[in-house]
């Protein structure tokens, strides 16, 4: 606005002023960018929008749910941002404050915003012990807000999957992680929200035998009675009550390659076994007299 090259009226007001769509376009571009500081630039634009709206209620740059979702996505995917879990929770809190002030549906948080914060927590494992501890605290607080039904929201299959991923990535193996993951999976089964990611992450949290015992405790004792391996349990083989409330896109089995048995190739002394060509006997062609009009 202070750039002299922009066209202005006599009073100094810009003839063409940026609006919410302009800011959302730029923020979305930064969110999809791979530059190291793209998340910082997106967050700064959001802060500028909030300040402009708070100073002028008739401002045309009031942020909406798309604005906040784009910034949360940029922070969650950033690899150069430290303590991104806390930053995402701060952005979500700003969104909640703005919604409580004006009550507009444009700024009402949805479950996607909460899931993005949980995803940022799950991928904070590369930080130090302090960052991982704070990320786990943010994840528990965010998930509990969903469980309390704030703004009429409730966890979905992605919420449970991200929370189990937080347990697998941020907590060391042990009794505490096993207990917490078992409680989450039991609640997930009771809510009918066991999706592909949830089944994948619970296998990372628990040892194979304890995973099979947990399935039996939740009401699926057939794999344990058959003596099957943990990696052989597929999502389609679980009871319908476990998956009845999962969206179609979250029903895909996302089983990791490390759980499935690896296929071995026939290799003789470091060389691949030669594949012999398959010789097929040509079929016998019989021509009938009525096809050619002549006797054969």
């Amino acid at each position: 606005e202070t750039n002299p090259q922009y066209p202005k009226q006599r009073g100094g007001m810009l003839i063409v002023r940026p609006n919410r769509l302009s800011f959302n376009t730029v923020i979305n571009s930064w969110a999809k960018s791979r530059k190291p500081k793209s998340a910082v630039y997106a967050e700064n634009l959001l802060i500028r929008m909030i300040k402009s709206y708070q100073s002028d209620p008739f401002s045309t740059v009031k942020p909406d749910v798309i604005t906040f979702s784009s910034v949360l996505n940029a922070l969650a995917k950033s690899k150069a941002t430290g303590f991104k879990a806390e930053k995402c929770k701060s952005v979500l809190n700003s969104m909640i404050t703005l919604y409580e002030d004006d009550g507009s549906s444009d700024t009402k948080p949805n479950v996607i915003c909460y899931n993005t914060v949980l995803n940022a927590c799950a991928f904070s494992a590369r930080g130090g012990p302090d960052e991982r501890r704070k990320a786990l605290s943010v994840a528990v607080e965010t998930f509990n807000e969903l469980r309390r039904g704030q703004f009429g929201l409730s966890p979905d299959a992605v919420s449970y999957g991200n929370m189990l991923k937080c347990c697998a990535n941020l907590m060391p193996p042990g009794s505490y992680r096993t207990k917490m993951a078992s409680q989450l999976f039991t609640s997930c089964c009771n809510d009918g929200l066991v999706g592909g990611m949830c089944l994948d992450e619970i296998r990372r949290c628990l040892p194979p035998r304890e995973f099979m015992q947990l399935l039996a405790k939740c009401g699926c004792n057939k794999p344990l009675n058959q003596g099957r391996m943990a990696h052989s349990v597929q999502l389609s083989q679980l009871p319908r009550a476990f998956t009845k409330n999962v969206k179609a896109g979250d029903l895909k089995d996302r089983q990791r390659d490390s759980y499935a048995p690896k296929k071995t190739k026939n290799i003789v002394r470091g060389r691949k076994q030669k594949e012999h060509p398959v010789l097929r006997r040509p079929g016998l062609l019989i021509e009938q007299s009525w096809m050619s009009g002549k006797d054969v």
Side-chain angles (χ1 to χ4, degrees):
E1 296 180 355
T2 58
N3 195 320
Q5 296 181 357
Y6 290 164
K8 298 181 180 180
Q9 298 178 353
R10 292 183 178 180
M13 183 177 295
L14 290 174
I15 297 177
V16 180
R17 304 187 65 183
N19 55 14
R20 180 168 58 192
L21 180 60
S22 306
F23 275 89
N24 285 350
T25 303
V26 178
I27 289 176
N28 187 48
S29 300
W30 280 123
K32 295 180 179 179
S33 174
R34 295 184 179 181
K35 292 187 176 181
K37 294 185 179 181
S38 58
V40 178
Y41 296 148
E43 186 180 11
N44 290 338
L45 286 174
L46 173 62
I47 295 173
R48 181 178 176 182
M49 293 178 70
I50 294 175
K51 289 182 178 179
S52 177
Y53 174 71
Q54 291 176 345
S55 60
D56 182 12
F58 299 98
S59 175
T60 59
V61 295
K62 175 188 175 183
D64 59 357
V65 65
I66 299 177
T67 314
F68 285 99
S69 298
S70 298
V71 175
L72 287 172
N73 188 36
L75 289 171
K77 291 183 177 180
S78 176
K79 296 181 180 180
T81 304
F83 294 89
K84 59 183 180 181
E86 291 182 296
K87 292 184 178 180
C88 284
K89 191 63 172 68
S90 177
V91 172
L92 181 61
N93 291 338
S94 300
M95 185 180 185
I96 294 173
T97 302
L98 193 62
Y99 172 72
E100 292 176 346
D101 289 343
D102 59 7
S104 175
S105 59
D106 293 341
T107 56
K108 182 179 180 180
N110 54 26
V111 69
I112 298 177
C113 297
Y114 281 89
N115 288 344
T116 308
V117 177
L118 292 175
N119 184 68
C121 297
F123 286 97
S124 298
R126 295 184 178 181
D130 188 30
E131 183 176 356
R132 291 196 297 268
R133 183 170 56 253
K134 291 183 178 180
L136 182 62
S137 177
V138 170
V140 172
E141 180 183 355
T142 304
F143 189 78
N144 287 337
E145 290 179 4
L146 276 177
R147 293 294 301 272
R148 289 195 297 265
Q150 192 171 7
F151 309 116
L153 302 176
S154 60
D156 59 2
V158 179
S159 306
Y160 278 105
N162 281 329
M163 194 61 202
L164 286 171
K165 185 178 291 186
C166 290
C167 295
N169 292 351
L170 303 176
M171 301 176 66
S175 58
Y176 186 65
R177 187 175 82 171
T178 300
K179 180 180 178 181
M180 185 173 179
S182 300
Q183 292 176 352
L184 284 170
F185 187 75
T186 303
S187 300
C188 186
C189 294
N190 294 334
D191 294 341
L193 292 171
V194 180
M197 181 168 59
C198 181
L199 183 61
D200 187 8
E201 298 302 329
I202 188 61
R203 277 189 282 233
R204 295 181 58 210
C205 294
L206 303 182
R209 182 167 182 80
E210 294 188 12
F211 166 70
M212 301 299 287
Q213 293 175 352
L214 179 62
L215 277 181
K217 184 178 179 181
C218 293
C220 181
N221 53 5
K222 187 176 180 179
L224 182 63
N225 295 337
Q226 293 177 346
R228 295 170 54 185
M229 304 296 291
H231 64 77
S232 65
V233 179
Q234 303 296 326
L235 191 64
S236 58
Q237 300 169 351
L238 297 180
R240 180 70 181 106
F242 286 11
T243 61
K244 61 181 180 181
N245 295 323
V246 182
K247 296 179 181 179
D250 299 329
L251 279 173
K252 296 180 181 179
D253 196 347
R254 304 181 181 182
Q255 187 174 7
R256 292 173 176 262
D257 295 338
S258 58
Y259 296 129
K262 297 182 179 180
K263 297 181 179 180
T264 58
K265 297 182 179 180
N266 294 330
I267 300 176
V268 180
R269 295 182 180 180
R271 294 182 301 174
K272 293 184 179 179
Q273 193 173 14
K274 293 183 179 181
E275 297 181 359
H276 299 283
V278 179
L279 301 178
R280 297 183 179 180
R281 182 180 178 183
L284 183 62
L285 180 60
I286 301 177
E287 186 179 7
Q288 302 292 339
S289 60
W290 60 268
M291 296 180 183
S292 60
K294 63 180 180 180
D295 295 333
V296 178

